[in-house]
Amino acid sequence: MLIKEFISETNKNQMISILLKHYKVGSVKVKQKSMKDHAHYNVDTGTLELSTRYKTIKNRQIKEFLITIIHEIRHAMDAKKYGWKKFKDMYEMEMNLLIQKGKHQYKDNQYEIEAEEFGQKNWKKWYGKFKRENLI
Ligand SMILES: [Zn+2]
């Protein structure tokens, strides 16, 4: 049995590309960036920014990696659904409302909650699929 400790960059990029196409946000660009968070969907530029920490993914990071990518894809799907400018406004309105209510601008944010649930709900089936396709 072949144990892969690291996922190659080619396989990682292929997984991202498969996911983007499946969720019909294939026009999203992907960029490596040195950043605090693991990933960020930049709604202004339509770019999925991925931390340079994810340049190579270790086996034990796959679950977290898939949840993160699918989470960010959900934001891209919302941006496509509403139009990115409108979605940006909606998102900012939600943040402002939460701040006014003394709640947390991300943890209590409905778009963040939905995106995280979307990632948690869907990562397993992709894990199985990518495993079968020998990408992980
Ligand atoms: Zn998010």
Side-chain angles (χ1 to χ4, degrees):
M1 194 180 150
L2 179 69
I3 308 280
K4 295 182 204 158
E5 199 194 341
F6 291 99
I7 308 304
S8 77
E9 215 171 339
T10 312
N11 286 8
K12 182 192 74 181
N13 292 336
Q14 202 180 334
M15 285 191 279
I16 296 171
S17 154
I18 289 168
L19 288 167
L20 290 172
K21 278 192 199 105
H22 175 86
Y23 291 110
K24 299 189 167 53
V25 287
S27 62
V28 167
K29 291 162 282 187
V30 183
K31 205 174 103 186
Q32 304 268 0
K33 200 180 167 184
S34 176
M35 57 201 270
K36 202 170 122 267
D37 298 320
H38 287 99
H40 174 67
Y41 179 66
N42 186 324
V43 79
D44 293 287
T45 58
T47 309
L48 199 168
E49 296 167 351
L50 202 57
S51 166
T52 44
R53 274 179 296 170
Y54 275 150
K55 195 167 163 54
T56 48
I57 316 163
K58 293 179 192 78
N59 263 334
R60 54 178 170 81
Q61 291 179 301
I62 294 168
K63 177 185 174 181
E64 169 203 304
F65 171 75
L66 289 174
I67 293 171
T68 301
I69 297 297
I70 299 167
H71 173 125
E72 298 307 328
I73 283 177
R74 177 57 187 251
H75 292 318
M77 288 162 74
D78 281 342
K80 187 188 169 191
K81 181 176 165 190
Y82 299 108
W84 70 270
K85 276 188 178 140
K86 194 178 170 205
F87 178 57
K88 198 181 172 188
D89 286 346
M90 288 160 67
Y91 191 97
E92 277 168 9
M93 232 192 295
E94 166 81 358
M95 281 210 301
N96 292 333
L97 205 70
L98 289 168
I99 293 163
Q100 279 170 33
K101 289 186 192 162
K103 291 189 172 176
H104 197 279
Q105 54 178 318
Y106 294 113
K107 270 189 273 177
D108 298 315
N109 188 309
Q110 59 159 319
Y111 302 111
E112 289 306 328
I113 293 167
E114 280 168 14
E116 192 54 28
E117 280 174 2
F118 191 67
Q120 296 285 349
K121 203 178 87 188
N122 288 297
W123 77 271
K124 258 187 199 151
K125 72 172 181 205
W126 289 107
Y127 183 87
K129 192 173 149 65
F130 292 148
K131 197 114 193 151
R132 284 193 299 277
E133 291 175 9
N134 214 23
L135 285 167
I136 53 177

